Amino acid sequence: MTIKNTIFFTCIALLTISCGITKVADICNETPSTTYLVPVRNVNYSQVGSNFLNTPVNHDFDICNEHFAANTTAGHEFILATNEVSDVLGCKLNFTRRWTGNPHKTAFELFPSNATSSIFDYVDVNAPMPNNCSLPGDLTFAMRTCRFDKSNGGTDHFTIMAKSTNYNHFSNPSSKNHPYKHGILHELAHGFGMNHTPNWNATDKQYISTMQGNLEYLSALDVAYLRHKYPESMNDHRNYVASSLTRFDNKKGKFEDQNPSSFYIDADGNLKDCKTNAAPEFFVAWFNTGNIDGESTLCGTNSIFLREKSVSADTIEIKTWKVATMPYLSQDQWKGSVNLTLSNTSNIDFDRDWELVFKVNAWNVLDETTDADNEVTMDVTLKNGSCR
């Protein structure tokens, strides 16, 4: 059977043990590629980001309760983004979110002279605006971060503002004009000190970062920066993370743009990309954001598969492969075409909704702190016979 319930083998697959499953033995006997494996070391942190927050512990954030309330989708995205930073081990930066008593602010109120917190709100570009943060002249942004309150060489407070004409559907996550976690995460990074990649040292531009935008989880570079700027003690750990970006030849590629969004299974059972009518090609990347190296004696695997989105969660495995042992704070990538012929398609429900999934540590044999960041997904279509 090529379609099955979502079960990933949990046996500790040592290189010399097949766990009784021929496919596991075959995969674990592979020689993993190290072509794109790079440790994130010797970073020029002053160019990645020279700024810093003076109060990184329990940094207060006032959130507009009118448009970004905690029980709205946009408010939830803000919670996810701030949690992503606060949960980094070895970094003392964390945020205290405050909604109570925080109505929507005018553009002038976004930059108070006696600020007591940072602010997340939207700016109405049709209303009067202060001469601050390139306002009112430059309105080319969708979201912008301004460090407006500075002392002791650092930043006391900053404002993240979403432009009203871009983000006018705050509660509608299906709208492209919606402040998603990855966009808020990028702006938070500006607040805690990071610069856009054109300002970086040339050798650091190979690294994936939230500063390139569209990154769902913090990268090895981002975590390295946070630990450098805001260090604190931590327990030794590993954490494997799926990336929603790739960085081949120093060029950004988004998961949903580079990978096929529509598939069909032809009469011979071959999986095809609707766009090319050929074997689908995939691009993926991943990280170890921990502070210790991976386990070289274990067979770590990644997987690409299609998953049916209802309660049955049936899957069609596309590719599972053995990955190279990852040093601490490192990134790796893979790209290639996959020729897949399914032996039995009668159990596939083509009328249901499907998603493409990239999962790291797919068999769960590698020791890590959390698996909450092990998947990135995108909605896809799956047709029978052709894409028509």
Side-chain angles (χ1 to χ4, degrees):
M1 295 289 289
T2 56
I3 182 166
K4 57 187 181 295
N5 289 330
T6 305
I7 299 174
F8 292 100
F9 306 110
T10 57
C11 57
I12 299 178
L14 296 173
L15 297 181
T16 58
I17 299 175
S18 71
C19 304
I21 303 169
T22 302
K23 186 173 183 181
V24 173
D26 291 343
I27 291 174
C28 289
N29 285 328
E30 293 175 359
T31 300
S33 171
T34 58
T35 301
Y36 299 106
L37 176 62
V38 288
V40 181
R41 311 283 169 79
N42 302 315
V43 175
N44 188 328
Y45 291 108
S46 63
Q47 290 188 340
V48 169
S50 57
N51 301 311
F52 59 92
L53 290 175
N54 288 321
T55 308
V57 179
N58 297 324
H59 188 89
D60 289 332
F61 237 114
D62 288 342
I63 304 109
C64 171
N65 195 45
E66 183 177 343
H67 298 101
F68 302 110
N71 62 351
T72 64
T73 55
H76 181 62
E77 295 293 311
F78 185 83
I79 292 172
L80 293 175
T82 47
N83 282 349
E84 184 73 16
V85 177
S86 297
D87 290 345
V88 172
L89 299 180
C91 167
K92 63 185 176 182
L93 173 60
N94 64 85
F95 299 101
T96 301
R97 299 176 291 257
R98 306 190 302 193
W99 280 275
T100 303
N102 287 307
H104 172 62
K105 294 176 173 59
T106 68
F108 286 88
E109 292 171 330
L110 294 179
F111 307 99
S113 58
N114 57 344
T116 59
S117 70
S118 292
I119 301 168
F120 181 51
D121 208 326
Y122 89 92
V123 60
D124 185 353
V125 296
N126 296 314
M129 287 186 291
N131 185 15
N132 202 323
C133 193
S134 300
L135 300 176
D138 179 10
L139 299 178
T140 59
F141 64 94
M143 276 198 294
R144 174 178 287 170
T145 296
C146 299
R147 299 179 302 111
F148 66 91
D149 191 4
K150 306 171 187 178
S151 67
N152 302 317
T155 301
D156 292 327
H157 307 107
F158 62 97
T159 286
I160 298 176
M161 65 180 86
K163 190 169 71 172
S164 59
T165 51
N166 286 71
Y167 292 98
N168 54 358
H169 300 295
F170 299 106
S171 62
N172 182 7
S174 65
S175 169
K176 66 178 181 180
N177 291 330
H178 181 77
Y180 287 104
K181 171 192 174 184
H182 59 73
I184 299 170
L185 190 60
H186 173 90
E187 299 305 325
L188 286 173
H190 280 310
F192 62 66
M194 296 185 78
N195 298 323
H196 283 135
T197 51
N199 298 312
W200 294 8
N201 185 296
T203 59
D204 295 334
K205 293 180 181 180
Q206 65 182 310
Y207 301 135
I208 299 167
S209 169
T210 187
M211 296 319 298
Q212 292 138 14
N214 300 104
L215 191 63
E216 188 68 20
Y217 307 114
L218 291 173
S219 71
L221 182 280
D222 301 328
V223 171
Y225 177 86
L226 283 166
R227 289 181 183 151
H228 174 79
K229 287 289 187 178
Y230 309 101
E232 71 171 1
S233 62
M234 62 179 148
N235 294 327
D236 287 344
H237 69 285
R238 306 174 188 87
N239 189 42
Y240 300 101
V241 182
S243 177
S244 54
L245 292 179
T246 59
R247 196 78 176 159
F248 293 105
D249 300 321
N250 290 346
K251 295 180 181 178
K252 165 187 168 180
K254 295 194 293 184
F255 182 75
E256 65 268 29
D257 289 345
Q258 288 194 305
N259 292 291
S261 60
S262 55
F263 300 86
Y264 70 95
I265 299 174
D266 68 17
D268 295 321
N270 299 309
L271 184 69
K272 300 289 188 180
D273 180 351
C274 284
K275 187 175 181 180
T276 63
N277 290 315
E281 186 175 16
F282 300 95
F283 298 79
V284 293
W286 60 99
F287 316 107
N288 175 6
T289 62
N291 71 321
I292 58 175
D293 296 340
E295 300 126 308
S296 60
T297 58
L298 296 184
C299 176
T301 56
N302 290 349
S303 187
I304 299 170
F305 55 96
L306 297 173
R307 182 167 60 200
E308 193 271 314
K309 295 182 67 176
S310 77
V311 291
S312 67
D314 289 334
T315 64
I316 302 173
E317 183 181 17
I318 296 174
K319 179 179 175 66
T320 299
W321 70 101
K322 182 181 177 182
V323 296
T325 303
M326 299 193 76
Y328 75 92
L329 288 177
S330 61
Q331 75 178 38
D332 203 351
Q333 302 184 97
W334 178 85
K335 61 180 179 178
S337 298
V338 179
N339 291 290
L340 175 64
T341 301
L342 305 179
S343 60
N344 186 345
T345 63
S346 61
N347 291 332
I348 299 176
D349 191 337
F350 294 95
D351 294 325
R352 292 182 177 177
D353 294 328
W354 291 81
E355 61 186 349
L356 177 69
V357 184
F358 167 56
K359 183 179 178 70
V360 301
N361 194 12
W363 292 345
N364 298 320
V365 301
L366 301 177
D367 180 36
E368 60 175 327
T369 56
T370 177
D371 60 4
D373 48 13
N374 284 20
E375 288 187 3
V376 290
T377 66
M378 59 183 282
D379 290 343
V380 297
T381 60
L382 178 63
K383 301 294 184 181
N384 189 17
S386 71
C387 285
R388 294 192 298 272

